[in-house]
Amino acid sequence: MYLTKPKLIDIVSKQVRFKLNANAVSFSILVFLQLLALALSFPSMTSIDHELDVSLVEVSVTSHVIFAVLWTFFSGIHLANCTKWNETFTFVTTRFTHHLSNFFYMVIASFIASVMTVLASPTLRLLTYMRYDEIPQSPLTIIEAPMDFFIQFITAFLYLLLFFVIGYVIQSFVQMNGLLGSVYLIAIIFSLFIINGIFGVPLISNLVLAFLQERSLFLFSLKVIGAIAVLFSLSIWMTNRLEVRKS
Amino acid sequence: MGALALIPFLLIIVIFVLLMFGKTFSRQGIFSINRKFHFIVAFSFIGVLFIMTILAELLYPTSQEIERPPHTEDTSPSRFQAYNKIENDIIAGSRANSSLLVASRTHKVDEQLEITYSGEFYDFPLIYVERSEEAENTIEEYVYKPFMFVNDYDYTDKLDIHLPTWGKDTMTISNMVDFNLNLTEYSDASLFKQFTSEGNNSTFSSSFGSSSATPIIHLIVPKDLEVIAPFDDVMFVEELREEQ
């Protein structure tokens, strides 16, 4: 029927390139957020003991992490919205390749975000040293603990990818059900809280703690990969029912 | 460093303007932002972060090399002991030979000594007045500095003590302890340190705690000298001995 049979990898790579270009502005937004976090990381001095005239300044890279997590979450939502959905009709493609290319885009974007977030730490430390004098406590440097640096990077990447996929699934759900999707979503979350209240089963907190309290990187990676696989399958299953382009 | 702190704000303003008004400028032909520009911004930022990371590793000391005050675990027993020993020695009548001694001076006096104080109430020192038959129209003054612990570190050596000012039959005390500390604590994000050696065995504490004492002034005065003091914090050694 066709002169050339397109390979899956070619279609996906073409779509990933397209998605990267189409969402290029989001990387500038990420830089903007990281710079905003950098500015917010230097709070004004807080006087904590007037009698002794002692001031304490707490500099932390936490705001970088929060902004990165928010960026990935909303980028996931943005990636699955109506406009992006309609863009797929530009290509001769299947639903599967569409989701696969979205996933690879999320991997690349999460990688870039995690590089920025992890490298923000030594940058902030350098600026802290330049600005303040008395710093009796400081975390280990990369030279002191190089493995810790790579572990931080892997952890950041996995967390950011997970938030990306969560945003993507939520928007897919809303996409499938229209306005009612939001209502369903709120109802599901609300019912989880009700289950917690009536039966005393803290599902949400248990789920969150399963990731936060994990002490083995290997098991944590398996949990994140498993969660991503489940969420992504859910997203594919939900959006497979959407066959037509929305106007 | 003041100007350096403005760099993130300036970059934010520039990027904000470009993002918000980029399309308008582009339409008006002022300049155009293509998709390549966004990738240049992102990778330039990563490049800057890499350079800053290398500089941070090369230029600044590791967490082990940072100059720190002595840890209270090492110094606090001896500091407390030395401070308590001052009081015990004064009551016992022996001259306190303490590492906390800042100054010992002698002053001429007539029939009375008026102690005046200007400053905050919490800065008021402990004043021990000991009457001596040997002292004739002279006052021996011994000033001991307090200890100062902030967040498990001993800042006693950084205390600046202002000695009392002596006039004719007067001793004026004004804000004896001058201590100004701008403490900075830097921490990585705990979320990403979940699996690091430091994260699992973290000794880093962001809480604040301090412990300090007031300075001690020991005055050995003539037996019949009238001492006028505004506060009850002036203790007469003879009375303390009787209480014991």
Side-chain angles (χ1 to χ4, degrees), chain A:
Chain A
M1 202 64 183
Y2 300 101
L3 289 173
T4 53
K5 189 182 177 185
K7 290 178 187 170
L8 177 71
I9 193 165
D10 293 335
I11 297 168
V12 170
S13 65
K14 197 175 179 182
Q15 283 196 32
V16 169
R17 277 202 300 274
F18 172 78
K19 284 173 201 298
L20 281 169
N21 282 323
N23 296 298
V25 71
S26 66
F27 293 104
S28 286
I29 292 169
L30 176 63
V31 173
F32 171 77
L33 290 173
Q34 290 292 311
L35 286 168
L36 187 67
L38 196 63
L40 292 174
S41 299
F42 283 98
S44 56
M45 236 170 240
T46 320
S47 186
I48 50 169
D49 198 326
H50 298 284
E51 290 185 16
L52 301 177
D53 201 6
V54 177
S55 305
L56 176 70
V57 175
E58 287 184 88
V59 183
S60 170
V61 80
T62 306
S63 49
H64 291 263
V65 177
I66 291 168
F67 280 129
V69 165
L70 288 174
W71 179 81
T72 49
F73 181 73
F74 286 107
S75 294
I77 288 175
H78 181 68
L79 195 64
N81 73 8
C82 186
T83 318
K84 297 291 165 191
W85 179 259
N86 287 339
E87 277 175 7
T88 56
F89 292 91
T90 315
F91 299 95
V92 178
T93 178
T94 63
R95 201 63 72 234
F96 177 70
T97 53
H98 163 69
H99 283 296
L100 202 60
S101 59
N102 273 350
F103 178 73
F104 283 118
Y105 168 76
M106 283 190 258
V107 169
I108 292 167
S110 300
F111 180 85
I112 291 169
S114 51
V115 168
M116 282 186 192
T117 314
V118 173
L119 288 181
S121 174
T123 304
L124 197 58
R125 192 163 58 222
L126 177 74
L127 294 173
T128 308
Y129 278 121
M130 290 168 80
R131 187 168 177 182
Y132 302 111
D133 300 324
E134 193 68 46
I135 311 167
Q137 286 176 317
S138 182
L140 298 172
T141 61
I142 301 171
I143 291 170
E144 284 175 291
M147 272 311 290
D148 279 4
F149 181 72
F150 287 108
I151 289 169
Q152 274 193 55
F153 173 73
I154 292 164
T155 315
F157 173 70
L158 289 170
Y159 266 124
L160 294 179
L161 186 60
L162 183 64
F163 278 102
F164 222 129
V165 174
I166 290 169
Y168 187 77
V169 171
I170 287 171
Q171 184 59 27
S172 298
F173 191 80
V174 173
Q175 193 75 12
M176 185 185 76
N177 299 292
L179 192 64
L180 272 177
S182 311
V183 179
Y184 289 152
L185 203 65
I186 292 165
I188 289 168
I189 294 167
F190 193 66
S191 63
L192 289 172
F193 280 108
I194 288 173
I195 289 168
N196 185 15
I198 296 172
F199 302 106
V201 185
L203 287 174
I204 295 175
S205 59
N206 281 352
L207 202 63
V208 172
L209 290 177
F211 291 96
L212 290 178
Q213 290 185 341
E214 183 56 63
R215 286 289 168 261
S216 160
L217 182 60
F218 177 70
L219 289 177
F220 174 78
S221 306
L222 286 182
K223 282 179 184 176
V224 172
I225 291 164
I228 288 171
V230 168
L231 290 170
F232 219 75
S233 306
L234 200 66
S235 178
I236 292 170
W237 175 74
M238 285 189 293
T239 51
N240 265 345
R241 295 167 63 185
L242 290 173
E243 289 296 336
V244 288
R245 180 180 182 142
K246 289 184 178 179
S247 58

Side-chain angles (χ1 to χ4, degrees), chain B residues 116-213:
Chain B
T116 56
Y117 181 72
S118 63
E120 301 293 342
F121 71 95
Y122 49 75
D123 230 5
F124 193 73
L126 288 173
I127 301 174
Y128 290 92
V129 177
E130 184 180 354
R131 296 187 185 281
S132 169
E133 290 183 4
E134 293 168 11
E136 288 181 6
N137 298 327
T138 56
I139 295 176
E140 283 180 55
E141 179 201 20
Y142 298 91
V143 180
Y144 301 92
K145 69 176 174 180
F147 54 81
M148 174 66 71
F149 304 148
V150 178
N151 272 20
D152 297 334
Y153 290 99
D154 187 345
Y155 287 92
T156 306
D157 293 336
K158 294 198 175 184
L159 289 177
D160 197 7
I161 303 295
H162 299 300
L163 296 175
T165 313
W166 286 78
K168 190 176 183 300
D169 299 340
T170 60
M171 181 178 83
T172 308
I173 303 160
S174 176
N175 292 329
M176 281 192 75
V177 181
D178 192 2
F179 181 65
N180 188 313
L181 178 67
N182 298 323
L183 199 65
T184 306
E185 290 193 340
Y186 175 81
S187 62
D188 276 335
S190 53
L191 188 69
F192 295 166
K193 288 171 72 180
Q194 197 172 332
F195 308 104
T196 60
S197 54
E198 204 179 13
N200 288 330
N201 306 302
S202 180
T203 53
F204 184 83
S205 164
S206 61
S207 60
F208 171 79
S210 69
S211 177
S212 62

